[in-house]
Amino acid sequence: MKKFATVLLGVMLIIGFSGCSQKESGESTGGIKNGTYTSTVKGNNAEITLEVQVKDSKIESAKVTNHSETPVLSDGAINDIPAQVVETQSLAIDTISGATVSSTAVLLGIENCLTEAGFSIDDLKAKKGEIKKEEDKTIDTDVLVIGAGGAGLSAAVTANQEGAKVVVVEKMPKVGGNTILAGGALNAVDEGSETAKKHKDSVELHFKQTYEGGNKKGDPKLVRILVNNAYSAIKWLKDLGMEFKPDTFTVLGGLWPRAHKPVEPVGTGFFKTFNNYITTHENIEVLLETKAEELIITDGVVKGIIASGKTGNKITINAKNVIIATGGFSKNIEMRQKYNTLWENLGENIKSTNHPGATGDGITLGLQANADLVGMEYIQLLPMGDPKTGSLSGNIEMAVENRIFVNKEGKRFVDEGARRDVMTAALMQQQDSQLWVIVDSHDYPTGEEVNNFNEKLNDLIKEGRAFKGDSLNDLAKAINVNPENLNKAVESFNKFVRGEIKDEFGRTLKDREINKGPFYAALRVPTVHHTMGGLKINENAEVIDKNGNVINHLYAAGEVTGGIHGENRLGGNALADIIVFGRIAGKNAAANK
Ligand code: ADP
């Protein structure tokens, strides 16, 4: 199925591609012409230009010379794929998950150039490049971090700032994990600031909503740490060079306008910032395509890990302290089914917003050290998944206050400012478990604006992932819902916004009416988003074992941990959690000699 999609994509790209040209012609060896070839292909965001040099029947070099793909997210496709083609002298290269469109485009551009040079593309595609198995090796470090998502890199940078030598292992070919796919909302209250005053917010309210929003199942001590340190996490990121927009907003299921939004798209700003730190400092490195397989434990003390490298080689890493920051298990259907008690069924039919590496490895690793697990049954679904992929992309809502949901009959069915579990449970009662999110032109004055996932609304419309109507009647027609119902739903919402009536579903979050055409809609479904449970930690981010004791020299941070969000996590609290607890883990691990 995936292969088919890739082929189809290739065909689509060919239609839009503008050929290949040879800059300098040269000698020909065995029918293959020496020279420098260029090709321009359509990428994810815009055109990508590539240059390939051919000499003596060999692919001498390949590189992308111009592109506008999303930074960080596309790095693997832009840099690694051309390098792999040269290294393996083949086109049998896997696309990079999370950057499939960019990868496919880069491969197609190289293929165009090699076709022009006279290579047999079939041969190059059939030839599995021979990657030499690298030597087994041993590395010594002060702090070893497993996982280069937001929690892992916050921990790594902090530990390095505290003077420790740090090694990070990341099993995927790129950094970022789920964090880079997030909409970027980070809840934090800067008490006394104009923003907090404007939104009548306080750290205490953040505490109350987080603790109560999780049905009081989180550990209040950990919740306090989260809310008390959230704003200093933002300050720390700003000191590292990351930029945030000035005002805060309400993210889906965030309950209050306290989410800070990075200037860079989705979660890329975090990784631009961390990458910048890592490349300009000594004693901190990230080993990509390196998977932690087991903990080295001697007499109950964690001493490092055994990892497998890119070529299957064994890497032994001796470390004074290990931090597990491997993220959640939303992509591990077996684990999901084993622990879930909140939902009827979390089998294959329910997709996930997560990246493919979210398979719960950290749980398995922690269990090797007899770690205790908490809240494993609390799995969060969002009512806002893409119907085909389950991902967050294609979601056209900008802020909770300004959109409504209607079901397939065109009727509202829930308070759209409610908790995520409440909205998803209500959605599951609707026909086909599908909703339409409805917004107007206040959010998208021209349609050329991007949503929270860096996608232009007009592109989503072209792709059939969003719909437009100059009037509500036109929109109803476009999405095949009853126009009378849709008009009624919007009218009653507008009356509530004007303060004329109480909202029939108890909604309180509002800002302005939905009354400015054209109007827009996008179809969404329930999707698995976050696993609230995981390794039990204390206030120092130390992992606790099944007897209630600290496991010496083992720390954990981020989605792999449990006990913070309870039964339901507020939108915008994950990014706060990973930075706050990542920093705590990094600081304490650096100090534990
Ligand atoms: P968090 O939000 O907690 O930081 P993320 O999902 O953003 O979580 O990041 C977790 C990272 O850990 C991902 O990049 C994932 O690929 C990586 N990871 C998961 N399991 C392993 C493993 N066994 N070895 C190395 N890296 C891992």
Side-chain angles (χ1 to χ4, degrees):
M1 184 64 198
K2 193 168 169 222
K3 265 238 165 85
F4 173 72
T6 311
V7 171
L8 192 69
L9 197 64
V11 172
M12 282 157 53
L13 287 165
I14 287 170
I15 295 167
F17 110 96
S18 53
C20 171
S21 64
Q22 189 183 5
K23 272 210 265 188
E24 315 145 21
S25 71
E27 304 281 303
S28 158
T29 328
I32 293 175
K33 293 179 285 231
N34 290 346
T36 303
Y37 300 85
T38 59
S39 174
T40 300
V41 289
K42 188 174 174 333
N44 195 41
N45 298 347
E47 288 184 334
I48 302 177
T49 303
L50 294 109
E51 186 178 286
V52 177
Q53 277 187 320
V54 173
K55 200 174 168 208
D56 301 335
S57 301
K58 283 208 130 144
I59 311 164
E60 188 81 358
S61 72
K63 61 175 188 254
V64 170
T65 52
N66 195 18
H67 77 94
S68 310
E69 301 298 270
T70 310
V72 189
L73 214 51
S74 69
D75 284 359
I78 299 298
N79 304 320
D80 298 355
I81 288 191
Q84 281 178 38
V85 170
V86 176
E87 189 187 335
T88 61
Q89 295 289 308
S90 110
L91 281 173
I93 308 288
D94 293 333
T95 55
I96 292 183
S97 60
T100 321
V101 176
S102 309
S103 309
T104 311
V106 168
L107 279 168
L108 180 70
I110 297 174
E111 183 181 322
N112 292 336
C113 293
L114 297 179
T115 307
E116 182 76 19
F119 281 92
S120 155
I121 300 302
D122 286 348
D123 287 356
L124 289 176
K125 283 189 175 167
K127 180 180 163 199
K128 250 292 172 211
E130 278 158 33
I131 297 181
K132 253 201 342 251
K133 188 170 171 189
E134 285 172 31
E135 298 278 304
D136 292 349
K137 61 179 170 189
T138 301
I139 299 170
D140 296 324
T141 187
D142 296 329
V143 175
L144 182 272
V145 180
I146 310 173
L153 292 189
S154 297
V157 169
T158 306
N160 184 262
Q161 287 177 323
E162 296 288 320
K165 179 180 177 201
V166 183
V167 174
V168 184
V169 293
E170 168 54 57
K171 70 175 176 179
M172 305 302 281
K174 62 179 179 60
V175 301
N178 275 338
T179 309
I180 205 165
L181 303 178
L186 195 168
N187 287 344
V189 185
D190 178 16
E191 269 203 352
S193 69
E194 286 309 311
T195 323
K197 273 189 222 153
K198 174 176 158 193
H199 298 301
K200 298 189 179 62
D201 204 4
S202 66
V203 171
E204 196 50 40
L205 182 62
H206 189 189
F207 174 85
K208 184 176 151 56
Q209 291 186 322
T210 302
Y211 186 53
E212 291 176 3
N215 288 348
K216 301 187 178 175
K217 296 282 169 49
D219 176 345
K221 289 197 292 296
L222 297 180
V223 179
R224 282 274 171 220
I225 292 177
L226 172 74
V227 299
N228 287 349
N229 294 286
Y231 193 69
S232 58
I234 291 197
K235 275 203 291 206
W236 177 73
L237 290 165
K238 283 186 176 169
D239 286 344
L240 289 171
M242 186 165 168
E243 290 177 288
F244 287 86
K245 295 190 173 166
D247 201 3
T248 51
F249 77 110
T250 311
V251 66
L252 175 89
L255 308 184
W256 209 254
R258 70 167 64 92
H260 297 252
K261 193 172 166 55
V263 168
E264 299 280 340
V266 285
T268 59
F270 295 92
F271 295 93
K272 226 174 146 180
T273 308
F274 295 139
N275 277 353
N276 183 38
Y277 180 92
I278 292 165
T279 50
T280 53
H281 287 79
E282 304 264 298
N283 285 328
I284 177 163
E285 66 170 327
V286 181
L287 308 177
L288 294 176
E289 292 183 82
T290 304
K291 182 179 179 207
E293 303 281 358
E294 59 181 278
L295 293 179
I296 304 172
I297 306 166
T298 317
D299 300 330
V301 179
V302 174
K303 300 267 189 182
I305 63 158
I306 307 286
S308 54
K310 186 175 172 181
T311 60
N313 51 321
K314 177 176 167 183
I315 305 176
T316 306
I317 307 179
N318 299 313
K320 290 187 191 134
N321 295 285
V322 172
I323 301 173
I324 302 180
T326 48
F329 60 91
S330 290
K331 278 282 188 178
N332 185 332
I333 292 173
E334 211 177 292
M335 216 180 246
R336 223 154 86 167
Q337 291 286 61
K338 174 173 170 184
Y339 290 106
N340 163 50
T341 56
L342 288 186
W343 307 94
E344 202 175 298
N345 189 345
L346 292 185
E348 268 173 27
N349 284 345
I350 309 257
K351 299 195 170 64
S352 167
T353 59
N354 282 208
H355 84 123
T359 48
D361 300 15
I363 305 294
T364 314
L365 289 166
L367 288 175
Q368 292 170 3
N370 197 32
D372 200 6
L373 303 178
V374 284
M376 290 294 284
E377 63 276 35
Y378 306 146
I379 298 178
Q380 176 165 85
L381 272 70
L382 292 184
M384 290 303 258
D386 178 281
K388 283 209 180 85
T389 63
S391 86
L392 288 171
S393 73
N395 175 7
I396 61 171
E397 70 173 358
M398 295 294 255
V400 166
E401 286 81 355
N402 303 319
R403 86 307 187 235
I404 57 167
F405 303 155
V406 297
N407 61 19
K408 288 189 142 176
E409 295 168 80
K411 294 181 177 166
R412 284 181 62 213
F413 57 89
V414 71
D415 164 10
E416 301 91 341
R419 287 166 30 167
R420 291 173 166 187
D421 52 351
V422 171
M423 290 188 285
T424 310
L427 175 56
M428 284 176 165
Q429 303 304 314
Q430 309 307 308
Q431 188 190 336
D432 301 332
S433 295
Q434 293 186 329
L435 66 78
W436 290 101
V437 52
I438 309 285
V439 300
D440 72 358
S441 290
H442 286 108
D443 280 334
Y444 299 93
T446 68
E448 283 301 291
E449 298 78 15
V450 294
N451 63 3
N452 285 329
F453 301 91
N454 206 28
E455 299 157 309
K456 248 189 226 160
L457 179 63
N458 283 342
D459 287 344
L460 292 173
I461 294 169
K462 260 187 243 153
E463 291 160 15
R465 299 171 69 202
F467 295 84
K468 176 179 175 179
D470 287 333
S471 64
L472 283 171
N473 281 342
D474 290 345
L475 185 67
K477 215 171 172 187
I479 62 176
N480 197 24
V481 305
N482 179 314
E484 214 173 293
N485 289 346
L486 182 63
N487 275 294
K488 252 198 214 149
V490 173
E491 265 164 38
S492 89
F493 170 74
N494 288 346
K495 270 191 193 156
F496 149 70
V497 174
R498 294 196 297 269
E500 292 166 20
I501 53 166
K502 265 196 154 184
D503 182 66
E504 57 182 313
F505 300 99
R507 177 166 168 161
T508 55
L509 293 176
K510 58 181 183 177
D511 176 19
R512 57 173 187 242
E513 294 174 52
I514 297 179
N515 58 9
K516 189 173 175 212
F519 301 89
Y520 300 98
L523 193 65
R524 310 306 291 173
V525 300
T527 181
V528 180
H529 183 55
H530 188 98
T531 48
M532 272 81 68
L535 303 175
K536 183 167 183 171
I537 55 165
N538 64 14
E539 295 102 300
N540 303 321
E542 292 166 299
V543 180
I544 305 300
D545 74 11
K546 293 201 166 81
N547 304 314
N549 301 317
V550 164
I551 303 173
N552 287 323
H553 302 279
L554 185 65
Y555 298 81
E559 196 178 341
V560 70
T561 66
I564 298 170
H565 308 286
E567 229 176 278
N568 169 68
R569 176 177 66 73
L570 294 202
N573 267 357
L575 292 178
D577 169 9
I578 63 179
I579 312 291
V580 166
F581 284 94
R583 289 178 72 206
I584 293 172
K587 186 165 183 213
N588 291 329
N592 194 0
K593 301 286 179 194

